[in-house]
Amino acid sequence: MRFSWKISTAALLLATAASAAGTDSDALIQDLVDWVLSKNGFVNPKLDITSDGFSANAAIEKNEVLLNIPPECIISVASINVLDKDEDEEDEDEGSTGLNCDVARFIIKEIKEEKESSDYAPYIKYIQSLPTGIIPSSWSEEGQDLIDQIVADRLPPVSVTGWSYESCRGGSDEDELGKSVAMKIVEHCYEDQMIPLYDMMDHSNGDDFNAEGRGKFYPGRNFKVVAKKAIEAGSPIKTSYNL
């Protein structure tokens, strides 16, 4: 579950990461686009997609489809073989936060096995390339203590350091890979779904909120992103994380 409160920090860190590895990031993004297309998905040719975000290279009409992501490309509990778990054994976070432990375990397993033949290989590589340290839960103990003092009960959200890989069965924050993947899921997951390309869109609730997802709570179905209004050529394309 992505949250708008992290935008300023995220933008700073993403900009730093992009300047250091922009070419590599753009190559991974192109691989991701090619993969979605190979699964009979759709990426509107009027879109320019780089590590800096989405923009329109031509005028886009209201309700025009921007992305159509097939379920074969979406990592969710409904689309993966969840690791064996007793019915009576639940993760602490079950149903309560943006950290879906089953999705985390699946991605960790894919990374460790390094399967080039994996159905999700291009997306797994992209997820691995994402910067860490964006949300406060991934900061040092000192950093988390400081932000908790600043936020306290005065600013929303009430808790900005509440996510931990330790809330997942068998997880430990001493496991750097597990912690990294868990935090990336909190940043990019929608309910129990990791949706490629859409999870790269920047956030806005202002006048430049011009793209919206449809179908994100329906596992097994295509996920469409459409233009919320007419978009001029050269305009950035942004969605809302909380509307």
Side-chain angles (χ1 to χ4, degrees):
M1 179 180 294
R2 298 189 295 181
F3 296 90
S4 57
W5 54 263
K6 67 180 176 59
I7 302 305
S8 296
T9 307
L12 175 61
L13 291 171
L14 285 172
T16 302
S19 64
T23 302
D24 290 342
S25 296
D26 291 343
L28 287 172
I29 291 168
Q30 185 58 54
D31 287 345
L32 202 54
V33 170
D34 292 342
W35 172 64
V36 168
L37 295 175
S38 75
K39 299 292 185 179
N40 296 316
F42 173 74
V43 179
N44 196 313
K46 297 177 184 178
L47 297 177
D48 284 336
I49 310 174
T50 71
S51 54
D52 293 324
F54 283 66
S55 61
N57 59 44
I60 296 173
E61 297 179 2
K62 181 180 179 179
N63 291 323
E64 187 170 343
V65 175
L66 305 178
L67 300 172
N68 191 352
I69 310 297
E72 292 83 1
C73 296
I74 297 171
I75 300 178
S76 71
V77 172
S79 65
I80 62 178
N81 294 318
V82 177
L83 302 180
D84 292 337
K85 179 168 71 172
D86 294 336
E87 291 185 3
D88 295 333
E89 190 176 29
E90 295 186 353
D91 297 307
E92 292 177 20
D93 72 285
E94 197 71 35
S96 62
T97 75
L99 173 52
N100 187 289
C101 295
D102 288 327
V103 172
R105 281 188 282 265
F106 175 79
I107 293 174
I108 292 165
K109 180 173 177 286
E110 291 283 298
I111 292 173
K112 286 182 176 179
E113 292 183 355
E114 296 182 342
K115 296 189 297 185
E116 290 292 334
S117 60
S118 167
D119 289 339
Y120 298 99
Y123 196 21
I124 297 297
K125 288 181 179 179
Y126 172 75
I127 292 170
Q128 283 184 272
S129 76
L130 292 171
T132 57
I134 290 178
I135 60 175
S137 288
S138 62
W139 297 355
S140 67
E141 289 186 10
E142 294 80 4
Q144 292 187 49
D145 288 343
L146 178 59
I147 194 68
D148 281 337
Q149 291 175 37
I150 294 171
V151 173
D153 295 326
R154 298 183 295 273
L155 299 171
V158 174
S159 174
V160 296
T161 59
W163 296 285
S164 170
Y165 184 46
E166 290 183 346
S167 67
C168 294
R169 177 175 46 84
S172 168
D173 282 342
E174 297 301 315
D175 178 351
E176 290 300 324
L177 173 60
K179 180 179 179 180
S180 172
V181 169
M183 294 302 100
K184 290 174 183 179
I185 287 174
V186 173
E187 294 158 19
H188 295 274
C189 202
Y190 291 87
E191 294 298 312
D192 73 338
Q193 300 178 76
M194 291 287 286
I195 304 173
L197 298 180
Y198 182 60
D199 64 5
M200 295 166 49
M201 279 191 177
D202 289 333
H203 164 86
S204 177
N205 282 340
D207 292 339
D208 52 354
F209 168 26
N210 53 17
E212 59 184 353
R214 295 180 180 174
K216 62 185 175 185
F217 300 122
Y218 299 94
R221 300 184 187 180
N222 281 38
F223 177 83
K224 289 185 179 180
V225 183
V226 302
K228 188 172 179 287
K229 57 186 178 181
I231 303 172
E232 296 180 357
S235 298
I237 295 176
K238 299 183 180 183
T239 190
S240 172
Y241 294 174
N242 52 13
L243 290 180

